[in-house]
Amino acid sequence: MRPVRRNAAPALGAALALSATLLAASPVQADEEPTEHIVNGGFDDGATGWWGSPSIAPEVTEDGRLCADVPGGTADPWDVIIGQDGVPLRAGESYTFSFTASGTGSRPVRALVQEPVDPWRTELDERAFLTEEAAAHAFVFTADEDRDDAQVAFQVGGAAEPWTLCLDDVSLLDGAEPPVYVPDTGPRVRVNQLGYLPEGPKNATVVTDAADPLPWTLADADGAVVADGDTVPHGPDASSGQSVHTVDFGGFTEPGEGYTLTADGETSHPFAVSADLYEDLAADALSFYYPQRSGIGISDAIAPGYGRGAGHVGVAPNQGDTEVPCHPATPCDYTLDVSGGWYDAGDHGKYVVNGGISVHQLMSVHERALHAPTGNPERAGDSTLRLPERDNGVPDVLDEARWEMEFLMAMQVPEGEPLAGMAHHKVHDAAWTAIPMLPADDPQPRYLHPPSTAATLNLAATAAQCSRVFEPYDAEFAASCLESAETAWAAAAAHPEEYAPPTGEGGGPYDDTDVSDEFYWAAAELYLATGDDGYEDAVTSSGLHADPGVFGPGGFDWRYTAPLGVLQLASVPNDLSDGARDALVEGAGQYLDNIGSHPYGLAYAPEDGVFAWGSNNLVLNNLVVLSTAYDVSGDAAFRDAVLEGMDYVLGRNALNQSYVTGHGTNDAVNQHSRWYAHQLDPSLPAPPPGSLAGGPNSDTATWDPVTEADLAGCAPQFCYIDDIGSYATNELTVNWNSTLAWVSAFAVEQLR
Ligand code: 9MR
């Protein structure tokens, strides 16, 4: 047995928690020795000071390790625990928590330093992946609160099979210096890492303090210079806190791979010039949905690397989703079969408002292909995506949309019940599920949350759109969509103020207390579906109708759907399109200006420069507006702005980060997900290609500890980290990917 280290830096093994981008300072202060706060961490004194949960009997081995047989067949990490209580912590002090561990069966261990009682507020919550060979693990954290009685816990439950855990050298030393997160931003020349269309705009950004223009060169894959010019100094940029220059090399049009741009002694990541640039991205962004499906086994043959059992089909340990009761706090006397649909994001919840905007944007990929001058029904047609319904005569994007539509309609309160016709706001677990966790392994009860007006209007809008787009393929299904839509509209009109609360356990709130925008969007969709005077009146009497003001500088998302009404009325043929088109073109003008004046070509200009949760989605929704403005006006400036706007998402940004998995040299790969949790458990896959990360979020103080610890004080564009723990900046969701899918489907048809 090795002694507990008291005055040396922990021996950091292969599973070291401090990544290459963290500059770890020595935990030893020059003039003061750190104090050890774990009692008997080396197990010199048997198991004194340690406890185990009832299902295990930890024993100290002859060579002085604490080992325990961990039973199989448990559901959650906290079902089996080894811990020590009474550990003192001082607020503001930084600690190194380290241990050596081995485990048969390649299991993760969840290491915690936390409050010893409910609500178990954590100071440290990390996972170490164990191997049969003992390895050292170390984590540095700064305590938020003074505690005399913190608990150190190793949670090791959740395995199907029994396994053996051994621990040694458990240590909690004060006097650590918290690691400083420094992102690896690579070369200072920032490009779209995918590339550029031959006839499209080509812009790049150079981070430099130089006051005067600098020469730039464009080289082909062999290194031969094929174009050159001078940068344009921009000076300070508030969104990044950097001083930057811009490069316009739009005059270069020769297709090829492996181009690089050099300026100020730095060479960009390589990129292509290709008319096919967006083909894979457009297909990947839509193929994201199949492995996101609930209620169906995912076939590895169709989605290679992503095969898994069906989630929430009423098979133990799942307790949903075939007979889901109402939440105990808001009981009802029925259950619903709400299996199917998509999981919202990295969690196991299913939320009607967010499902609504997502499925709408998928159906709109189809509609744009039909109606826009550059639309291409073939590329958005049958057998274009990786999903089981290929080759059934229905466009694949509609097959995918139907999977969600059927779920949304199943969320409707049955006839004869209170609030009949309204849609339950959401269905999710009693408490947040553990991460990682495959959908089929979720053991918790799931509940229907009370109907809301917002959810009901999302159902009305999408089911009305469903009735139109499915009419040529399945008239019966289309009719059931329309019936559901009209019932929902009437129910929302009768109950216009049922708001989802901003609080709750186990799922996202998706709260919203202004539903005038949902009323407008639903009226527009019902008018487009039926042409009825009543819906026309509801559209034209809305204060939001044909108002360019619905297109705000910060963009829109699930909470504000008025723009969807204008976009639909402008782009789907109907008698109200003139006013909607004028409003759209006027509203899109500001995004054109934003992109033109921003040194990173950013379409998003939130008030006070504060980037919101899911800012990439807001950026992309502004590109949806610009794209539709191009579709209805034919003004090429809108198209070029969309193409330039995509550069930001694919790497031309302060972090030199492509926010889409599998696309670009430095792509995001650790998005927050319970089943694409490769970063936590190497046996699980990383997110599928085409998964969009939420992106920079200026609110670094409120949400997850990774964001809080690593991003505090960040300039807006730097408020992002590609870490699975940073759900506030790095989750993936169905509504963000629908926007990426929509804009990619637009981009793939341009300038061919
Ligand atoms: O995308 C949502 C964002 O607009 C909200 O500010 C945030 C906090 O309520 O929630 C986001 O949605 C999350 C949801 O609550 C649960 N599933 C994952 C979603 C994306 O992070």
Side-chain angles (χ1 to χ4, degrees), residues 344-347 349 351 354 432 502 507-511 557-559 612-614 672 697 703 727-728 731-733 735-736:
D344 186 58
D347 59 328
Y351 312 90
N354 209 44
W432 287 106
Y510 284 114
D511 51 310
D557 63 7
W558 59 269
R559 188 179 262 130
W613 189 313
H672 179 83
N697 178 355
W703 305 102
Y727 61 80
E731 192 152 356
L732 48 78
T733 76
N735 66 313
W736 302 340

Side-chain angles (χ1 to χ4, degrees), residues 96-109:
T96 303
F97 180 58
S98 61
F99 57 91
T100 300
S102 61
T104 56
S106 302
R107 294 293 308 167
V109 55

Side-chain angles (χ1 to χ4, degrees), residues 461-546:
T462 55
Q465 185 181 19
C466 168
S467 74
R468 283 187 297 111
V469 300
F470 279 93
E471 174 65 31
Y473 303 105
D474 186 340
E476 206 178 311
F477 179 59
S480 72
C481 286
L482 187 58
E483 189 185 336
S484 183
E486 298 215 87
T487 309
W489 173 265
H495 306 283
E497 291 178 2
E498 296 289 336
Y499 302 132
T503 50
E505 272 294 293
Y510 284 114
D511 51 310
D512 186 0
T513 50
D514 179 354
V515 294
S516 58
D517 50 308
E518 281 82 6
F519 268 110
Y520 175 62
W521 173 38
E525 294 288 5
L526 279 154
Y527 167 69
L528 291 172
T530 65
D532 285 359
D533 292 348
Y535 298 125
E536 182 172 347
D537 287 349
V539 168
T540 54
S541 65
S542 166
L544 300 166
H545 179 50

Side-chain angles (χ1 to χ4, degrees), residues 30 33 40 49 67 69 106 111 124 176 317 320 462 464 479 484 567 635 676 722 732:
E33 291 220 334
N40 187 31
C67 294
D69 291 330
S106 302
L124 174 85
T462 55
S484 183
L567 289 166
D635 181 346
Y676 308 134
D722 185 20
L732 48 78

